[in-house]
């Protein structure tokens, strides 16, 4: 049981698993101690907060994170537990002496104390945190069932399964496998024909052929983009008041394309972090840097721009460090990190790489709708350019026609002015004008005359003209043309927010993270000191940062990314805390596998597709997801992978599956976001600003059925039917999978699902005159596999009950069939159609349909 | 599935497995109605204590004074100068300059930080002494004033925030930048909920009639941050159905849905028999809870059982959906039905340029409903263990905003402002904390954002230092590393 049990003693289920994990890994009880596995978690959780590396909080000037310091202070006497004061303190029964102090909410278990005794007795050896030394490729272990592994991944997995006295699960049925692969690689369900072909394919490489087909699909990039967009806190608006729309979807399209092209992860990362700094940077490379411009933007009246600018900077540091380093830098914003060897110098050193943008911290209003913050890349399309030229020409023509009229009006208005500066319209003229106007005309100098003329003209244009020209067609036409030009230019020219180093600034440590109190020396970008140094010749800027991440000796980048891949395909990361690989992270049961994958990823050239292929072609991945009594008893969380993980699919994928099963889906890739069904007045909360019309601009036609990825994501009010999603406000690398009644209400009642059910029912009705065949058709469009006899019986019963209801109530049938904008075939019997619609809705809501088995 | 009988006890799943063995392995041989009935009963049994409903072991940390909390959020920054913190000096010195020694280095919004003049604007209406305790508040708040002996007025609130969204986010999530769990999410996570027919944490929003101030309420004010999303607040909508997708599609009756759900449950049960994953049990329970919520929410918003004199208390808007008055009555009904944390958010207190006209209207809209809610809770014996909190993200400047010769409003002001508490262990008839002659600097007993959070949590039975969640390698909590329980406002 070891340290794991007490570490999270409140969770019984987890304690179960912990017992197993300690058993699955070589445990301390029957082997040598491993500092990282057995000791560090105890010290880190219970001691480092006060006796760690944060000098400001250190108590009694004692640090236990550093062997020399702990030994020097006499806290630890290697080999002599009796003389080590740290042991005296932890075993004490005197509340004043006991460590950790009783009021600290921390308590050591008897086992943890025993472990520390043994560790000191055996010499109190420390080791660097496992994730901070570069991974070395371990040899895959020997396994008893040598025939089971399909690749090296499986050898690591099987060795642990065998050590735990368990068996891997049999391979899942092919119908399950194809649905699983589709869900994971494209997020779209297989058609029944595709399922049949795969099930019947006699080729021994049928599975690999299928994988390769899916990896080559243009929808692969869309599926892979989903978790990346969560990490990048991607949204289509700023957040906060006014919540202006942005053009960051152009960056989103870049991501999809990059995945589809299998852009190697090093290039994928370097372009997103520093594409603008590459030699001869292309527009595409600049667009890639939108990654670090996807943060919230606060344009509230009265907001202090510099404060907001620092919020953006902090966000970039946090997002970058979580995404690529698996480290939580935010703690070091205010003080040296309590646990990880990160100092404030490290934090602000990294921040400096992002502190060179010509940005104010606030968004700029380009139109009532669009608010974006420079620096920008403007990307006018050919159509934009043409239209803009057209509008400009119209404006100029209008100006030419209106000028004489305006001049004449101005001249006559000027005539009517009083010499004391009272304007005819009653509006005060500028006070500086009054003395000038009082001066007799002959005495005015040329400069004064020019000043009077220009000030009067300014006043006239601003305050007077509009009232006079209302009825003059030439002027009105010009004003309209000018407005059209400006509105088009502000609203319709794509402007992607990107990175730039054009305005280097002085970076200093901020006392307690407060932007008003910089302290100490100026800092220039350097990577955290405990990680490999920046090599010679690498620039000391964002580009250097990006290149540094991919040094062969870098301990984190590859591990962090393969860990997230594992999470994507196996439900949970090898290190469960995918957002944190620091000292406080979970000690991985499968450390060797993690390291092997990390080295493999780097050495094969950072191809993500190849890694995905490696994972999904493993025997581990191909197992059935059925849960046996043995699994429940020994490994309820499935950390050993003696079965495939089963989990509810993301809501974005569920919606796509429903639309695809119905044949409604529009598979156009990329482009402007769309506005599919949402509850009425979804943006009602925003409507209280008078700045713009916040009516939801509902799409019609094919745009209602685009993939969920393209649904407009308003940061302040996210789409109501995308439940359990990352909030797209801060970087999120671990998706939530919860289960609430509101989720069930969504997939039961949202018109998206109801309409999909109606259209699927219509297709099923037309597929055959035989009821069982129709039910089979509907079932297979969603679930892929053929229904069992029991399934068919249950569906038939369901259908009969619904049919009785709708035959008795023709009006109800008509109402149900009226949900959604697509046309229905009115030749079909309404009761039949409505009953089958209910059945299809039920199929969408089966646990099996919601789950990736 | 022969191995399933060897399983250890495993809740409804086990019961079901046993029953399946009894009736045969494929569901043949018993009628679907019987099966569905059995399943439904199992599902209900499972739903009675699903993980989502229970709180954490060891919580509450101590006997709670407040079993429920209702936050009456007053968005925009209600003017403490005009409403809660009477200063004869401000009346005497209207139009005069606030001394630099008083102003110090106070961080102000960029709307006023560059001012050359800082003219005092006197409170726009007189103050009155209310109740036995003689609590002084504006005459614009007569209804709350009538309850003065039940109120605890804190005059020493303070925040670092200078703008709305960061200020609100700070109070509701403990950080100025969005992304952390909100207070209600922490409470649901720690304490669970007392009902499985309604959400544990409900949010409702409203705005002043003129929509004068443009304050918006964002999802992250009731978000779950890094806590599982099931703890996020459920926002009742002001148009259409209160909960999105609550209503069956047109043409699908509740009866038709019932039989459909039974049939889904039967198929899910078969799948459970085949796949053995207890999560499938949770799914069955989830759909049952959804069905129950479809009945309990409409019942909640049906006021036909409310006596006229109760409705009258809340004022004429009580029947108008989306008004503060309507939301106050819903809040009471939710609290009665076991919802633990109700967060009403009302916009309209941001009087930059319309202080002399809009503040009074704002008081008219909110005073009676706020008081009615407190009175109603009191009448039902619920006030003793329900904490009512009334306040906004900051106060307003004692100096005027706009033309110094003729200021029309007040800017944001976080250095000192006032909040009201009632019930749930708050000290009744009590004024806590004080400010200087200009209502600018706190002179006694400051209560910072984190202190108020710690205190609310404490009253709800939660030690704010102990309710933590490990994320990104550290233990996070609502109060970050700050916050002290303010014992002086409890009693």
């Amino acid at each position: 049981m070891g340290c794991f049990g007490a570490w999270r003693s409140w969770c019984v289920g987890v304690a179960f698993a912990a017992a197993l994990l300690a058993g699955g890994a070589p445990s301390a009880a029957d082997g040598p101690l491993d500092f990282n596995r057995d000791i560090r978690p105890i010290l880190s959780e219970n001691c480092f907060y006060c006796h760690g590396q944060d000098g400001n909080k250190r108590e009694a000037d004692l640090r236990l994170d550093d062997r020399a310091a702990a030994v020097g202070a006499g806290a630890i006497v290697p080999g002599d537990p009796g003389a080590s004061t740290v042991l005296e303190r932890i075993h004490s029964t005197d509340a004043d002496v006991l460590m950790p102090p009783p009021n600290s909410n921390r308590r050591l278990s008897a086992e943890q104390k025993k472990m520390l005794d043994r560790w000191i007795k055996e010499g109190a050896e420390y080791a660097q945190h496992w994730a901070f030394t570069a991974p070395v490729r371990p040899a895959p272990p020997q396994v008893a069932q040598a025939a089971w592994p399909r690749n090296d991944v499986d050898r690591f997995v099987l060795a642990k399964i065998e050590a735990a006295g368990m068996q891997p699960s049999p391979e899942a049925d092919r119908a399950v496998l194809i649905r699983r692969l589709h869900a994971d690689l494209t997020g779209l369900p297989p058609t029944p024909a595709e399922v049949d072909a795969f099930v019947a394919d006699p080729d021994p490489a049928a599975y690999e052929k299928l994988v390769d087909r899916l990896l080559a699909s243009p929808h692969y990039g869309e599926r892979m983009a989903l978790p990346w967009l969560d990490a990048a806190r991607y949204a289509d608006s700023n957040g906060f008041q006014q919540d202006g729309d942005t053009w960051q979807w152009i960056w989103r399209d870049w991501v999809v394309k990059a995945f589809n092209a299998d852009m190697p992860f090093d290039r994928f990362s370097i372009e997103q972090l520093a594409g603008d700094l590459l030699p001869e940077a292309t527009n595409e490379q600049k667009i890639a840097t939108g990654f670090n411009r996807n943060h919230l933007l606060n344009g509230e009246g009265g907001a202090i721009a510099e404060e907001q600018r620092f919020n953006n900077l902090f966000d970039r540091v946090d997002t970058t460090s979580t995404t690529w380093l698996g480290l939580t830098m935010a703690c070091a914003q205010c003080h040296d990190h309590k646990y990880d060897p990160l100092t404030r110098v490290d934090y602000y050193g990294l921040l400096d790489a992002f502190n060179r943008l010509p940005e104010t911290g606030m968004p700029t209003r380009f139109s009532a709708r669009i608010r974006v913050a420079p620096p920008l890349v403007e990307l006018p399309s050919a159509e934009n350019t043409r239209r803009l030229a057209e509008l400009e020409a119209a404006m100029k023509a209008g100006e030419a026609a209106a000028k004489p009229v305006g001049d004449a009006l101005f001249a006559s208005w000027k005539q009517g002015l009083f010499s004391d500066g009272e304007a005819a319209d009653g509006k005060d003229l500028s006070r500086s004008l009054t003395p000038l106007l009082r001066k007799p005309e002959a005495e005015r100098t040329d400069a004064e005359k020019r000043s009077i003329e220009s000030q009067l003209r300014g006043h006239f244009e601003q305050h007077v003209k509009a009232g006079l020209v209302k009825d003059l067609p030439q002027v009105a036409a010009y004003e309209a043309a000018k407005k059209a030009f400006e509105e088009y230019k502000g609203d319709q020219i794509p402007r992607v927010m990107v990175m730039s180093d054009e305005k280097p600034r002085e970076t200093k440590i901020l006392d307690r993270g407060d932007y008003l109190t910089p302290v100490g020396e100026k800092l220039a970008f350097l990577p955290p000191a405990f990680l490999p140094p920046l090599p010679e010749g690498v620039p000391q800027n964002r580009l250097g940062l990006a290149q540094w991440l991919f040094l062969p000796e870098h301990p984190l980048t590859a591990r962090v990314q393969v860990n997230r891949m594992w999470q994507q395909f196996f439900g949970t990361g090898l290190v469960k805390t995918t957002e944190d690989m620091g000292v406080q992270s979970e000690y991985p049961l499968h450390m060797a596998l993690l390291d092997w994958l990390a080295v493999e990823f780097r050495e094969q050239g950072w191809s993500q597709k190849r890694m995905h292929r490696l994972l999904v072609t493993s025997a581990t991945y191909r197992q059935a997801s059925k849960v046996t009594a043995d699994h429940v008893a020994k490994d309820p969380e499935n950390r050993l992978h003696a079965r495939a993980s089963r989990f509810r699919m993301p809501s974005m994928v569920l919606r796509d599956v429903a639309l695809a099963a119905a044949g409604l889906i529009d598979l156009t890739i990329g482009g402007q976001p769309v506005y599919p069904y949402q509850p009425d007045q979804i943006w009602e909360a925003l409507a209280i600003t008078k700045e713009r019309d916040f009516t939801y601009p509902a799409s019609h036609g094919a745009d209602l059925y685009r993939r969920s990825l393209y649904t407009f994501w308003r940061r302040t009010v996210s789409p109501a039917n995308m439940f359990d999603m990352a909030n797209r406000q801060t970087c999120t690398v671990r998706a939530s999978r919860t289960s609430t009644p509101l989720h069930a209400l969504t997939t039961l009642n949202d018109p998206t699902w109801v309409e999909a059910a109606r259209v699927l029912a219509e297709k099923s009705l037309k597929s055959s005159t035989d009821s069982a065949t129709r039910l089979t058709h509907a079932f297979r469009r969603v679930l892929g596999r053929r229904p069992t006899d029991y399934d068919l019986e249950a569906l038939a019963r369901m259908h009969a009950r619904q049919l009785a209801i709708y035959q008795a109530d023709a009006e109800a049938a008509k109402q149900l069939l009226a949900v959604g904008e697509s046309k229905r075939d009115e030749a079909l019997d309404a009761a039949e159609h409505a009953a089958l619609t209910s059945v299809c809705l039920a199929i969408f809501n089966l646990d099996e349909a919601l789950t990736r088995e | 599935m022969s191995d399933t009988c060897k399983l250890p006890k495993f809740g409804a799943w086990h019961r079901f497995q046993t029953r399946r063995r009894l009736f045969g392995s494929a569901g043949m041989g018993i009628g679907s109605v019987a099966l569905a009935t059995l399943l439904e009963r199992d599902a209900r049994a499972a739903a009675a204590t699903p993980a989502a409903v229970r709180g954490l072991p060891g919580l509450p940390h101590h006997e709670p004074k407040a079993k429920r909390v209702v936050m009456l959020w007053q968005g925009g920054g209600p003017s403490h100068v005009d409403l809660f913190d009477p200063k004869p000096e401000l009346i005497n010195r209207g139009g005069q300059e606030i001394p630099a020694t008083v102003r110090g280095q106070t961080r102000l919004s960029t709307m006023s930080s560059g001012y050359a003049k800082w003219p005092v604007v006197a409170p726009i209406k007189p103050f009155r002494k209310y109740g036995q305790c003689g609590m002084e508040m504006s005459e614009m708040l007569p209804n709350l004033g009538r309850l003065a002996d039940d109120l605890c007025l804190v005059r020493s609130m303070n925040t670092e925030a200078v703008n709305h969204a960061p200020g609100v986010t700070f109070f509701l999530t403990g950080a100025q930048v969005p992304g952390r769990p909100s207070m209600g999410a922490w409470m649901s996570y720690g304490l669970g909920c007392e009902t499985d027919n309604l959400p544990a944490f409900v949010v409702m929003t409203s705005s002043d009639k003129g929509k004068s101030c443009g304050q918006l309420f964002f999802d992250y004010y009731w978000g779950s941050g890094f806590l599982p999303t099931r703890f996020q607040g459920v926002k009742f909508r002001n148009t259409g159905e209160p909960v999105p997708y609550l209503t069956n599609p047109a043409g699908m009756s509740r009866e038709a849905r019932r039989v459909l759900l039974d049939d889904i449950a039967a198929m899910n049960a078969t799948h459970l028999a085949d796949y053995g994953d207890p999560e499938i049990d949770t799914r069955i329970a989830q759909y049952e809870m959804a069905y129950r919520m479809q009945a309990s929410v409409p019942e909640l918003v049906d006021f036909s059982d409310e006596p006229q004199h109760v409705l009258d208390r809340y004022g004429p808007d009580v029947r108008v959906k989306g008004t503060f008055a309507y939301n106050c009555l819903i809040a009471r009904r939710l609290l009665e039905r076991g919802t633990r944390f109700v967060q009403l958010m009302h916009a309209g207190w941001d009087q930059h340029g319309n202080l002399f006209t809009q503040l009074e209207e704002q008081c008219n809209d909110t005073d009676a409903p706020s008081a009615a809610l407190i009175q109603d809770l009191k009448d039902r014996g619920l006030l003793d263990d329900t904490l009512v909190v009334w306040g906004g993200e900051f106060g307003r400047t004692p100096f005027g905003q706009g033309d110094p010769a003729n200021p029309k409003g007040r800017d944001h002001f976080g250095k000192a402002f006032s909040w009201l508490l009632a019930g749930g262990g708050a000290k009744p008839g009590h004024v806590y904390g004080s400010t200087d002659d200009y209502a600018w600097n706190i002179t006694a007993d400051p209560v910072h954002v984190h202190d108020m959070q710690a205190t609310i949590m404490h009253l709800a039975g939660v030690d704010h230092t102990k309710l933590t969640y490990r994320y990104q390698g550290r233990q996070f909590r609502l109060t970050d590393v700050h916050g002290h329980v303010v014992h002086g406002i409890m009693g």
Side-chain angles (χ1 to χ4, degrees), chain B residues 305-326:
Chain B
D305 58 346
E306 293 286 346
Q308 191 57 43
H309 74 275
V310 170
L311 292 169
D312 289 346
R313 257 181 208 168
Y314 289 82
D317 290 339
V318 70
R319 289 191 182 277
V320 184
K321 245 174 126 175
T323 62
F324 184 66
Y326 175 90

Side-chain angles (χ1 to χ4, degrees), chain A residues 7 10 45 49 105-106 176 239-242 296 298 300-305 307-308 311 322 328 331 339 515-516 579-580 584 625-629 632 646 648 677-682 684-690 716-718 720-721 724-725 727 729-732 734 736 738-751 754 779 789-791 793-795 797-798 801-802 805-806 812-813 815-816 819 838-839 841-842 845-848 850-851 853, chain B residues 1 3-4 6-8 10 13 26-28 32-33 35-36 52 56-57 107-111 162-166 176-179 189 205 207 210-220 225 227-230 234-235 237-239 243-253 255-257 259-264 266-268 270-271 274-280 282-283 286-287 289-291 293-294 347 412 463 465-466 470-475 481-482:
Chain A
W7 199 21
W10 56 268
E45 182 66 26
Y49 188 81
N105 307 323
R106 293 177 166 89
V176 172
F240 295 106
Q241 203 174 353
Q242 294 135 7
L296 290 146
N298 188 347
E300 276 186 90
I304 300 172
E307 183 177 30
Q308 299 308 325
N311 284 342
T322 301
T328 314
C331 304
Y339 308 106
Y515 72 100
L516 290 174
E579 72 284 356
D580 177 35
Q584 290 278 87
S625 61
K626 295 184 180 182
V627 184
T628 66
V632 173
R646 59 190 305 282
R648 198 209 62 230
Y677 304 126
Q678 288 292 322
D680 278 349
Q681 301 186 45
I682 173 81
E684 61 167 9
L686 290 156
I688 70 176
T689 167
K690 291 169 183 161
T716 48
V717 187
S718 56
N721 52 1
D724 228 1
M725 280 282 300
N727 59 30
Q729 287 148 14
T730 51
C731 170
T732 307
R734 186 153 47 135
S736 178
T738 63
S739 164
T740 78
L742 301 177
H743 304 170
L745 291 174
T746 307
T747 50
L748 283 166
N749 296 338
D750 178 356
V754 179
F779 186 87
D789 289 348
Y790 170 77
D791 293 328
E793 189 202 344
L795 291 172
R797 191 165 55 226
M798 189 188 286
R801 298 219 271 181
Q802 296 296 319
I805 290 167
Y806 287 110
Q815 285 176 7
L816 183 63
V819 175
S838 283
V839 173
L841 188 61
N845 280 281
L846 291 176
D847 181 71
E848 185 180 352
L850 301 168
T851 303
E853 292 293 357
Chain B
M1 293 305 295
D3 52 353
T4 54
K6 291 182 229 144
L7 270 180
F10 220 93
W13 181 46
M28 308 295 185
S32 64
V33 178
L35 177 62
L56 297 178
R107 210 167 69 105
L108 296 164
S109 102
T110 53
M111 286 178 274
V162 294
N163 276 92
H164 300 292
Q176 292 197 41
V177 177
Y189 166 67
T205 62
S207 171
K211 304 203 177 226
S212 60
C213 79
Q215 288 323 304
L216 307 180
F217 296 125
F218 306 125
D219 283 0
Y220 44 79
L227 295 176
T229 56
R230 68 169 179 268
V234 173
K235 182 182 176 283
R237 293 156 39 79
N238 291 329
T239 45
V243 175
Y245 315 120
L246 182 73
T247 312
N248 289 340
M252 187 176 284
S253 65
E255 294 66 36
R257 170 57 58 81
V259 293
L260 196 67
L261 288 178
D262 287 346
D263 289 336
I264 292 174
M267 291 186 79
N268 283 345
T270 315
H271 197 55
D274 193 12
Y275 273 73
D277 186 352
E279 283 297 312
I280 303 172
T282 309
R283 176 90 52 230
Q286 174 196 11
Y287 276 67
M289 284 176 69
Y291 180 76
M293 198 176 278
Q294 287 186 293
H412 311 159
D463 179 339
T465 66
K466 288 187 186 165
R470 180 189 284 268
Y471 176 67
Q472 292 188 332
R474 61 168 276 216
Q475 300 290 353
V481 297
H482 310 287

Side-chain angles (χ1 to χ4, degrees), chain A residues 72-108:
Chain A
I76 291 174
V77 182
D80 191 349
S84 301
T85 53
V86 70
L87 295 183
E88 187 188 324
R89 300 294 293 268
I90 67 169
H91 287 292
S92 176
T93 50
D94 179 345
D96 292 335
V97 176
L98 180 66
M99 280 288 157
N103 64 3
S104 67
N105 307 323
R106 293 177 166 89
R107 212 166 60 84
L108 293 176

